[in-house]
Amino acid sequence: MARIQLLPDHLVSQIAAGEVVERPASVVKELVENSLDAGAREIAVELEVGGKRRIRISDDGSGMGKEDALLAFDQHATSKIRDFEDLQRVATLGFRGEALASIAAVARVELLTAEAPGEGWRVRIEGSRVRSVEPASRARGTTLEIASLFFNVPARRKFLKQPRTELRRCVEVVQGYCLACPDITFRLSHEGRSIIDATATSADGEGLRERIRQLFGDQLADALVELPAGGAAGESIRGFVGKRETAKGRRLFIFVNGRLIRDRQVLATYYRAVRDEWKHDEYPSLFLFLGVPPEDLDVNVHPQKSEVRFRDASFVHRVSRVLREGLVSARGEEAAPLREAWGAAERPLAWSGLGAVSEPSIHETAAAFDTRDAGADAQSGVWDWRRDGRQKIAEAAYDRASPSEVPLSRGSRDRAVRILGQYKGAILLLETPQGLLLMDQHAAHERVLYEKLARAMEAEEPKVQRLLVPQLLELSPSERLQLDSLVESLQPMGLQLERLSGGDLALVGVPAVLSDQQALSLVLELAASEEQSTDPAALKRQILESVAADRACKAAIKIHHALPMAQMEQLVASLFACDDPYSCPHGRPTLLEMSDAELERRFGRR
Amino acid sequence: MEIVVSREELVAELALLQGIVERRATIPVLSHLLFQAEGERLSLAATDLDVSLSTGCGAEVLRPGQLAVQAKKFTEIVRALGADEVRLTLAEGNNLAIESGRSRFRIRGLEAESFPTLPKVESSSELEFPLATLRQMIGKVLFAISSEESRFQLNGALFKATDSTLELVATDGYRLARVETDFSGAGAEGLAQGVLVPRKALQEILRFSGEEPVRFRRNEHHLSFRIGDRELISRILEGTFPDYERVIARDHEKKPVLSREALQLAVRRVSLLSGERARGVLLRFEADLLTISAANPDLGEAEEQVVCRYDGEPVQIGLNPDYIGHFLGAIESNEVRLELKDAESQCVGFPIEDPEGEAGDRYLCVIMPMHV
């Protein structure tokens, strides 16, 4: 018998379905897009068990006749593309023609649709097989009910997360369309509980601000500045950027032609604009809506259409200009910080001569003096500490002729390391039996301090400062769901949240190591981050680490800082005693190795 | 412009203006002072766009004129001069010549027109109160103003007046200080709801001295404090101040009374071991005895006992020692009373001005507890 067989049709469609339908949220996404394309003014989403058991989407769009209703479930059936020409200017949201067919391949689907009142059809499909088609009554529009998602694909079903997580993802999807289409009413409920209830506003800037208010609350809506109009003919660049106080949480939303995307290029442009205009790297909220002619956009990069490619490279420059202008006005009346005309780029390891070694502290000066020839100075009787001190520091740092040997060990990892010296006040050179090690002194010290701090903080019972007035948190529906599930786990860490009526949350106590604003940022970040663990131990570590990493970085020795030998030895020894000596808390490496083999190869000895 | 002024008088006004000039000004002209010579007077002004001060001193004006002058350099120069009189002459190209004794300086200035126009606060009604009273009140709440820039509505104090009282309240979310004093002046309607005065304006008022009263006016966006010839104008902080009356607990029944100085010193000593990252000390009250303790896994433990007057149930509470210190440092009474409920509820501190009277209730400081 032949080993290679053709896959049966239903298996092919199940596999294809996997590309489009990954989880309830992807079903919601496809169906909301279909509703929007059908011209709906009102879209209601009802979910059960996070959408795993049931997803019901009803709209008041154009609806379908009997033929269309059946054809809709065929592979690559779509009302939107007829030939290759059409593919070049896809203006509608759903286009791959696989959505409904793919969903029908992995769920029990019931479609109820009517082009006009009284002319409706009900179609039942289960795992791609049409079970029944019958006339039914309905007002104009379409209702799709997707039950038992992945009932016939156990492997997929196993990969679904807890209902809470799946629900949050669905809410995020609907939230995205809420923002993209403020002139359309959206409702989302879960097992009868209303989560999103956003009545239509208008499609202009103020309508959008109202929509943001409906979802995120007054605080955010009032702290947004409208971007100036921009873009060349046929393009549009609009939206809002937040003032300084919105730089908490991660509320960055980018839409291209009405589609919420996570485009790295646009995000990077935004980050750069903030760093340039505001001179810091806390990013304020962003609601950015880009419109380009469909033929200038390649959306077919990713099956979930979450990434796009702009054909006109200069478009991103225009986006950047608008963002910068917006950021300038969001910063307030204060004029732009004057940029130095020839702002020296920060080149951490650039050679700036021995003279540029940073001024030694008293402690180090003393240490450096210990290494010099005491007799010579005693004879001269005159002691010009400035001149003399600097020279000796330089000698201490660079001309040490007697490297010392530090045998180090930790657990089973025995290490013999000899310190050769310090390179340009920044990098320690270490000789090991295997080769040459370069150690970044700042990163290494950061790691050492960080582990010490994290251990100390973990051992300590957290002190909790109660707040005089509870701080009401303004959260979007998806953020509220996530944070609500974390309330109990955050308690032992000193982040005390109180549940108020109506599902609101308020911060009532904060860890005493943080200010209330830092704690607030942390809470908002936890609420908005995408993959949030609810395990108390993991959460605790996450919080401690974010606090400790920040403090360690500030306290660590900087580069261009000459170290006496005793300090180098101490640093090397403490680094190798760390749990993870190989990277600083931010993930940059502390050590680079050049093995003997590598050196020999480069010198042509091998 | 050509004038002759007394160096001493000029230095006194420059010291006041220094408090207004923005040190990290991003708009160059804001690091300047506006000079205007006219009649018998040299008028001086500084602003950071939120708070402005206009003042001046008598001068022999040989030629009127105006110029914006770099504040820091000018002040340094005038302070350093040796002679009693200073001659200031506007030279071409917006330069200012400073001559005194045998010293001659020439510094670059900016056109007076580039200096922002200061807001004018016109109002039909005016309040008047003693400067000393206002300064005393500010001193009692200044420490509680939040320095967290993002909580802009807490970056100032709430200033309220009725026909019979003046009130000043500040909070940073962890503690709250409130002071009230008798005041007899009609026309306080504009302040019945209270206005938020930025910290910088309050700090500037603390720099003023003298016997002259403060004449106060407001309009929709600005406040004006006139003291003699000087006028401090401040933008009103926008935002809603917390509903503090509701927050202050009035029904705590545990009320130990103790010596202010003894408590202050003991807390200061014990707090040496209260930890560097999160400072907290534990206060335990039993019959006539307070035990203050602190423990820190890295450092060790500390404990001190202080005698007090207390006959209630034992109670303990964790507090930030800095907050206790700020409260005790802001008052002068010999004794203080703390009102407590339990470890979860706020501690309200009062000075006891006079064991018989109720006067102490006019000042209070709420401190939120810390789980230690």
Side-chain angles (χ1 to χ4, degrees), chain A residues 47 59 62 113 115 184 401-402 438 488 498 506 541 551 567 589:
Chain A
L47 303 168
D59 66 44
S62 56
T113 183
E115 284 180 309
I184 291 171
S402 59
L438 308 180
E488 280 72 26
E498 213 168 78
R541 209 166 314 119
R551 283 170 187 242
Q567 280 195 20

Side-chain angles (χ1 to χ4, degrees), chain A residues 287-303:
Chain A
F287 296 87
L288 181 63
F289 296 83
L290 305 176
V292 294
E295 58 267 25
D296 283 351
L297 188 69
D298 188 358
V299 288
N300 218 350
V301 187
H302 192 270

Side-chain angles (χ1 to χ4, degrees), chain B residues 330-349:
Chain B
I331 55 180
E332 283 143 22
S333 68
N334 288 327
E335 286 191 316
V336 292
R337 181 176 78 248
L338 304 180
E339 297 192 355
L340 304 162
K341 189 173 167 208
D342 52 38
E344 305 294 321
S345 311
Q346 54 181 242
C347 161
V348 193

Side-chain angles (χ1 to χ4, degrees), chain A residues 145-178:
Chain A
E145 189 168 309
I146 316 297
S148 322
L149 186 63
F150 297 133
F151 77 99
N152 52 356
V153 198
R156 272 276 174 200
R157 202 165 59 231
K158 253 193 280 175
F159 276 100
L160 291 183
K161 299 266 169 61
Q162 294 213 331
R164 198 169 54 204
T165 311
E166 296 299 344
L167 171 62
R168 183 169 54 77
R169 293 207 162 120
C170 295
V171 172
E172 277 166 6
V173 166
V174 177
Q175 220 168 259
Y177 290 107
C178 276

Side-chain angles (χ1 to χ4, degrees), chain A residues 20-32:
Chain A
V20 182
V21 183
E22 230 183 334
R23 50 177 20 106
S26 31
V27 174
V28 171
K29 179 179 167 62
E30 295 297 339
L31 298 186
V32 170

Side-chain angles (χ1 to χ4, degrees), chain B residues 229-242:
Chain B
D229 288 337
R230 302 171 184 141
E231 183 178 19
L232 179 72
I233 296 175
S234 166
R235 191 197 293 258
I236 297 175
L237 268 186
E238 310 226 348
T240 333
F241 199 74

Side-chain angles (χ1 to χ4, degrees), chain A residues 463-464 466 468 471 516-517, chain B residues 148 151 173-174 278 370-371:
Chain A
K463 290 178 185 155
V464 184
R466 299 276 293 188
L468 186 68
Q471 281 223 8
D516 57 345
Q517 292 306 294
Chain B
E148 192 78 64
R151 307 195 67 181
Y174 306 121
M370 185 188 253
H371 291 262

Side-chain angles (χ1 to χ4, degrees), chain A residues 49-63:
Chain A
V49 193
K52 292 204 280 191
R53 182 182 297 154
R54 197 178 308 278
I55 301 169
R56 217 176 116 97
I57 299 195
S58 34
D59 66 44
D60 58 354
S62 56

